[in-house]
Amino acid sequence: MTNDDLQKIRVAAADKEDVEFELDRAELVLQEAVAEALVHGEDIAVVAELAELPVEDVAKLAAQEATPGSVLPF
């Protein structure tokens, strides 16, 4: 294996980590937007459709919002 091969692996691993970080961030932003919509009284089914999430996941988040605590992950 050459140094060039090792460098390609390092770059690919770093790129993958960056994408995973961005995905985690996007998931948190979506979760916050869903929670805010629910607090404002939006219909759970509509929120689920727009967020492209199962209604059950949005309902769990709605239940979590009713009892303060940590944010429920999707």
Side-chain angles (χ1 to χ4, degrees), residues 1-12:
M1 207 175 255
T2 67
N3 282 337
D4 189 44
D5 293 334
L6 296 174
Q7 183 60 25
K8 286 179 184 177
I9 292 170
R10 286 184 192 101
V11 169

Side-chain angles (χ1 to χ4, degrees), residues 11-42:
V11 169
D15 288 347
K16 180 183 175 199
E17 184 177 344
D18 185 50
V19 168
E20 288 171 346
F21 174 81
E22 287 300 318
L23 181 58
D24 289 345
R25 186 194 65 74
E27 230 174 271
L28 286 173
V29 169
L30 176 59
Q31 189 173 356
E32 289 173 357
V34 166
E36 188 173 333
L38 295 173
V39 167
H40 291 145
E42 296 296 333

Side-chain angles (χ1 to χ4, degrees), residues 48-63:
E49 181 180 347
L50 292 173
E52 298 180 6
L53 295 169
V55 174
E56 297 80 22
D57 288 351
V58 177
K60 288 177 188 175
L61 183 58

